[in-house]
Amino acid sequence: MVVVTGQNKVSGNPDDAMSSSDAEDDFQEPATPTATQAGQALPLLPQQFPEVVPLNVGGMYFTTRLSTLRRYEDTMLAAMFSGRHYIPTDAEGRYFIDRDGTYFGDILNFLRSGDLPPRERVRSVYKEAQYYSIGPLLDNLEDIQPLKGEKVRQAFLGLMPYYK
């Protein structure tokens, strides 16, 4: 085992090991300040959320109730806003989600009232629902024509493994 202490002391005795006090003397502060030293420490968990939650999803702004985001327990949104995870805020204090916000309104409309998106947006909303793990929305979207046809096609191709 090689121990480097920063001193040029050479010991001829192999039993001469560095004591813990020697190690403490050689410890130096890091050259660059850490987040704690700079006063920018992350807030301690659990994070508290207001009843009305302002959101910034990829630069698009939304406002919803906390209960809407927590509607289904086993979704990513419910987990994100459970208080167990830190969610950053933008300069205006809105909670930031780093996703394209184009279809997030459709996600919120489903969480609020069970509304499904128009047929031309089903595939895109389905992808977002997969990301947020919203099982009930995924189940409903799979029964709408663009996805239902694809589901039947995939089942058929599954029966023919060598078909390309």
Side-chain angles (χ1 to χ4, degrees):
M1 176 163 133
V2 177
V3 178
V4 178
T5 64
Q7 299 175 0
N8 289 334
K9 179 181 175 186
V10 178
S11 173
N13 185 359
D15 294 329
D16 188 24
M18 179 176 22
S19 71
S20 62
S21 63
D22 290 339
E24 290 170 6
D25 292 341
D26 292 336
F27 179 76
Q28 296 179 1
E29 290 294 319
T32 58
T34 62
T36 309
Q37 292 169 333
Q40 300 172 356
L42 296 176
L44 298 177
L45 297 176
Q47 188 173 9
Q48 299 293 318
F49 297 101
E51 182 59 31
V52 176
V53 181
L55 298 169
N56 174 349
V57 183
M60 297 181 73
Y61 307 131
F62 300 92
T63 304
T64 192
R65 292 181 58 131
L66 184 59
S67 60
T68 300
L69 295 170
R70 294 178 177 172
R71 172 89 21 140
Y72 298 103
E73 290 180 8
D74 57 347
T75 66
M76 182 183 287
L77 289 171
M80 288 171 70
F81 289 93
S82 67
R84 297 184 311 247
H85 305 281
Y86 172 74
I87 301 177
T89 56
D90 65 9
E92 303 298 319
R94 293 179 286 251
Y95 295 97
F96 180 73
I97 299 174
D98 193 13
R99 290 291 288 179
D100 185 355
T102 305
Y103 304 105
F104 191 75
D106 292 314
I107 299 287
L108 283 179
N109 286 336
F110 176 79
L111 294 174
R112 289 176 180 137
S113 58
D115 292 345
L116 297 175
R119 185 174 293 189
E120 63 271 5
R121 292 201 307 253
V122 166
R123 287 181 194 266
S124 299
V125 173
Y126 186 82
K127 287 174 64 175
E128 290 300 298
Q130 284 179 315
Y131 176 79
Y132 293 113
S133 300
I134 305 173
L137 178 54
L138 291 168
D139 293 341
N140 284 313
L141 292 176
E142 286 174 354
D143 292 334
I144 297 177
Q145 183 51 40
L147 291 178
K148 189 170 187 169
E150 182 63 23
K151 195 173 176 183
V152 169
R153 180 180 168 277
Q154 290 299 324
F156 176 76
L157 291 175
L159 296 172
M160 307 180 97
Y162 300 107
Y163 180 79
K164 290 187 180 186

